[in-house]
Amino acid sequence: MDTYVKESSYFEVSAYLCAMKDIHEIPLPDKVECEGSLKNVLDALYVLNGKWKLALILSLLESSKRFGEIQRDVDGISPKVLNKELKDLELNGFITRKVYETTPVTIIYEAEEYSRTLKGVISELSSWGEQHRERIKDSMRNMLSVSNSH
């Protein structure tokens, strides 16, 4: 299992953010609220880390699938990484792995109802990603127009 973020790093970052409130008069929550919020975000990022987890959850929310179907659905993921990511998702209660004693053995992966709790998170990330992409495009256009005008 991956090394979990050290408890001390939560407090170091939250202390910094809370100090920003005093230094720059930025409206931030109080220290206890700030530390709790940061810990919640870091916990969520820890569970959903990497570029594959949300894609795998979305794939399995469409329908239950076998390993090969998932691999075809999530372009670019290696079998080794897929296996690790599926184990992590199962460990965290997002998916289940069902083994059927057929010849050969059939293994089906299914999204748990808990996966649906990410709907709002995925929607917000999608919106933010779109805004960010547009911001980067605008920035690149501005850089090109400045360099072309010289």
Side-chain angles (χ1 to χ4, degrees):
M1 181 177 257
D2 294 5
T3 304
Y4 200 75
V5 177
K6 290 182 183 175
E7 193 73 25
S8 61
S9 64
Y10 287 130
F11 300 113
E12 290 168 9
V13 175
S14 61
Y16 170 77
L17 291 174
C18 291
M20 294 298 291
K21 177 181 182 180
D22 298 330
I23 297 169
H24 298 288
E25 298 181 19
I26 297 170
L28 290 172
D30 65 33
K31 185 175 181 176
V32 172
E33 221 179 329
C34 190
E35 287 172 355
S37 293
L38 178 61
K39 188 170 183 176
N40 295 342
V41 169
L42 291 173
D43 286 346
L45 290 174
Y46 177 77
V47 171
L48 298 171
N49 68 340
K51 67 180 186 178
W52 303 112
K53 292 226 174 52
L54 290 176
L56 292 170
I57 289 170
L58 288 171
S59 172
L60 291 170
L61 282 171
E62 284 179 357
S63 66
S64 301
K65 294 181 173 114
R66 295 176 68 165
F67 189 92
E69 294 172 309
I70 299 168
Q71 191 172 14
R72 282 188 295 278
D73 206 25
V74 180
D75 190 39
I77 192 167
S78 72
K80 182 179 176 180
V81 172
L82 176 55
N83 189 46
K84 181 197 175 301
E85 297 292 281
L86 289 171
K87 283 180 182 177
D88 287 351
L89 290 171
E90 183 179 14
L91 179 69
N92 284 290
F94 291 107
I95 67 169
T96 56
R97 178 181 182 265
K98 295 186 178 178
V99 179
Y100 297 94
E101 297 299 326
T102 57
T103 306
V105 173
T106 302
I107 300 172
I108 303 290
Y109 295 89
E110 296 179 344
E112 286 287 329
E113 195 58 36
Y114 185 53
S115 293
R116 296 187 195 293
T117 64
L118 293 171
K119 184 179 178 186
V121 172
I122 293 168
S123 177
E124 287 295 321
L125 280 172
S126 175
S127 294
W128 185 87
E130 182 179 14
Q131 291 171 12
H132 180 70
R133 186 173 41 256
E134 288 304 315
R135 182 174 187 221
I136 297 301
K137 285 180 185 176
D138 289 346
S139 176
M140 295 301 287
R141 281 189 214 109
N142 290 339
M143 287 173 49
L144 287 172
S145 67
V146 167
S147 67
N148 287 339
S149 64
H150 283 69

